[in-house]
Amino acid sequence: MSRLDSKPVDDSQLKRIQDLNVAARYLEYRINELCPKGRERKIALQRLEEVAMWANKAISHEVQQ
């Protein structure tokens, strides 16, 4: 199976992914609320999207024991 393939996740993994996404949405809200519009805010939001993606991938690709 390729690293590019989607992986099935169990209930525990799904809960952790959902928790991360809730936290990322809250941080997105706070960045939009507290930071002035501009290049820096746009980059911060892009990096937040990247962080959420990699964190979710780390959970979905973890080795099951």
Side-chain angles (χ1 to χ4, degrees):
M1 183 173 266
S2 168
R3 293 279 302 168
L4 300 176
D5 293 337
S6 61
K7 306 267 181 158
V9 293
D10 63 26
D11 290 340
S12 170
Q13 290 170 309
L14 181 59
K15 171 72 170 114
R16 290 168 28 220
I17 287 170
Q18 290 170 338
D19 288 348
L20 276 170
N21 290 339
V22 167
R25 278 190 219 99
Y26 177 72
L27 187 52
E28 175 187 31
Y29 167 78
R30 295 297 288 170
I31 290 170
N32 280 321
E33 181 179 52
L34 299 173
C35 299
K37 287 184 179 179
R39 178 177 175 268
E40 291 83 3
R41 182 170 92 174
K42 185 175 181 178
I43 291 170
L45 292 170
Q46 288 172 337
R47 296 299 187 262
L48 175 60
E49 182 180 7
E50 185 178 353
V51 165
M53 177 201 64
W54 284 114
N56 288 334
K57 185 169 183 168
I59 292 170
S60 68
H61 286 258
E62 71 187 349
V63 176
Q64 298 296 319
Q65 297 180 5

